[in-house]
Amino acid sequence: MHEISFQAVNDRPTPYPPVAALGKSVAHFARPSGPNLLRRTDRLFQWVESRRQANVWPYVRSLDSAPAATAAIRYEAGDPGGGINLASQDYLGLSSHPQVHAAAIESVARFGVHSAGSGVLLGNTSISLELERSIAETLHVPHALLFPTGWAAGYGAVVALVRPDDHIVMDELAHACLQSGAQASTRNVVRVRHLDTEAFRAAIQRIRAADARNGILVITEGVFSMDADSPDIRSLQAICREYDATLLVDIAHDFGALGPGGTGQIGIQGMLGEVDLVMGSFSKTFASNGGFVAVRTPEVKQFMQIYAGSWMFSNALSPVQAATVLEALRIVRSPEGGILRHQLQAASLAIRDEFGRGGIHCLGEPTAIVPTPVGAEAIGRIASWLVFRKGALVNLAEFPVVPVGASRFRIQMMAAHTEAQARTGARLVMEALAEAREMAERHRSHVNLARGSESVADTPA
Ligand SMILES: Cc1ncc(COP(=O)(O)O)c(C=O)c1O
């Protein structure tokens, strides 16, 4: 792996961003009106453009190197940047692993680069079938079904099973693919306070008392992607059994990266083979695109193949993706996987410790995700600009991905981060935050104006 060189730029003059760029959120523009569907996209564009001009639109940047512990990037306008990469989902660094590369290359030689059909029409290969078996075996269930993405898996699992008279009880912070699946399936959706097991019980009990005839799908995640915390899966599954409800757990962020043999929170909580439905994504630890749903009976798998539109009517995972994930899974389950998870945990603990020394308490538990509270969107947007220029690549999460006024840096650690990189990364983030706060203090009336325009943004996109 070659070393990435990058230049930290600390000394650029900082014209203070205008109110228009510091206030509002995408939620303000989510329900445009007017007869012309295309012209009514203008207002969002103007707002994003004002943010772009002021350098406070920290999105749609691209990599100029592998997503490794340090990386080179291009800003949206094309100018180069780079630094310590705290924004990679390649948690164990398997996208750069020589064995994974060799498996990918071998699959190309044998199958070409394309899956030439949906899974229902000759889109599968011997590699993808082996991957299904291997995922099922890892999670101690008999069956798994691959999807083209994790999003397609989550959405597909919900729409395949739930009909308009059924009910969904979901953690309020469940991922967008599950929220969209719920929205598309039934109007009977109850969003329960984050991680509140008793609130889940109360909602399920109330629904079952009123409706003994229809199904209840209960949805949560192994590790929540913006909060790095986990539900009590054992209790939720027990409640589901008591009321004939069905539990679906999304393990996108913990599968491979956490727990015994990489089995995530399900493994940690001793629930392997016990959860009704488990879905996951390959876009984090498994170095590829794709997703899966793991199920306990052939009937459920068959049903999903027919009624999950995102399986039936979408091309299957390509052979190179399947081979990549299969090899990544082999490493995840091997002693090397254990060492990499240990290194990842050490990096997560080091960056959390450094933030703690600076008085910042990161949210959640030590996992690959290290949510670092910022607060006001205006501060987050300015700090985000500063931190990239200082040489740390960090994603800003703002409303509606997180609540209004609770913006945060969603830091993602990798096994390859050294302790020095983790600590330097934290220091650069804290420096950027301190400078952003100081700028905001000097322009207090300005920031208050922006905050005023923020508070009207209570309509999620
Ligand atoms: C919790 C969770 N579920 C599902 C997904 C979707 O996965 P994919 O990127 O494979 O579409 C993501 C990715 O953002 C996620 O964070």
Side-chain angles (χ1 to χ4, degrees), residues 16-17 21-23 51 54-59 61 372-388 394-399 402 405-410 429 432-440 447 450-451 454:
Y16 199 71
L22 291 184
R51 287 186 60 174
N55 277 322
V56 290
W57 178 251
Y59 307 113
R61 292 164 178 168
T372 306
V374 172
E377 286 69 14
I379 306 286
R381 289 173 195 174
I382 298 168
S384 173
W385 171 40
L386 293 169
V387 77
F388 267 75
V394 193
N395 285 321
L396 175 68
E398 51 177 296
F399 183 78
V402 295
S407 73
R408 67 201 63 166
F409 284 122
R410 198 269 289 261
V429 170
L433 275 172
E435 284 171 35
R437 292 212 164 91
E438 200 233 325
M439 280 171 68
V447 168
R451 199 172 283 156
E454 201 67 54

Side-chain angles (χ1 to χ4, degrees), residues 14-24 46-57 377-379 381-382 385 439-440 443-451 453-454:
T14 312
Y16 199 71
V19 170
L22 291 184
K24 293 202 165 76
Q46 284 156 12
W47 174 71
V48 172
E49 193 54 21
S50 74
R51 287 186 60 174
R52 255 193 295 263
Q53 294 300 328
N55 277 322
V56 290
W57 178 251
E377 286 69 14
I379 306 286
R381 289 173 195 174
I382 298 168
W385 171 40
M439 280 171 68
H443 297 78
R444 195 184 318 191
S445 58
H446 196 85
V447 168
N448 285 343
L449 267 177
R451 199 172 283 156
S453 72
E454 201 67 54

Side-chain angles (χ1 to χ4, degrees), residues 349-351 353-354 357 418-428 430:
L349 287 168
I351 198 165
D353 179 66
E354 194 64 31
R357 287 166 191 239
T418 61
E419 177 168 355
Q421 285 170 331
R423 293 191 183 277
T424 305
R427 283 197 290 272
L428 295 178
M430 288 190 285

Side-chain angles (χ1 to χ4, degrees), residues 89 148-152 154 174-178 221 223-225 250-253 279-284 288-291 410:
Q89 313 210 111
T149 64
W151 203 98
H175 189 262
C177 63
L178 300 161
E221 295 182 9
V223 169
F224 280 83
S225 62
D250 177 350
I251 59 170
H253 287 278
M279 65 143 289
S281 161
F282 303 138
S283 67
K284 287 61 169 133
S288 185
N289 288 357
R410 198 269 289 261

Side-chain angles (χ1 to χ4, degrees), residues 113-119 123-125 127-128 131-132 135 145-150 282 288-292 311 314-326:
V113 292
H114 183 40
S115 78
S118 147
N124 274 320
T125 59
I127 307 179
S128 57
L131 176 58
E132 285 187 342
I135 288 170
L145 183 63
L146 303 181
F147 283 77
T149 64
F282 303 138
S288 185
N289 288 357
F292 69 89
W311 188 84
S314 195
N315 233 40
L317 215 60
S318 74
V320 68
Q321 289 171 320
T324 298
V325 177
L326 185 60

Side-chain angles (χ1 to χ4, degrees), residues 11-88:
D11 55 356
R12 268 197 197 174
T14 312
Y16 199 71
V19 170
L22 291 184
K24 293 202 165 76
S25 74
V26 292
H28 279 81
F29 309 95
R31 296 202 171 89
S33 56
N36 189 300
L37 292 175
L38 305 184
R39 265 206 308 276
R40 65 194 208 185
T41 60
D42 290 359
R43 281 187 60 233
L44 171 73
F45 185 83
Q46 284 156 12
W47 174 71
V48 172
E49 193 54 21
S50 74
R51 287 186 60 174
R52 255 193 295 263
Q53 294 300 328
N55 277 322
V56 290
W57 178 251
Y59 307 113
V60 203
R61 292 164 178 168
S62 55
L63 278 169
D64 239 1
S65 67
T70 58
I73 63 153
R74 295 264 163 197
Y75 293 97
E76 210 183 342
D79 46 328
I84 300 170
N85 188 5
L86 304 174
S88 172

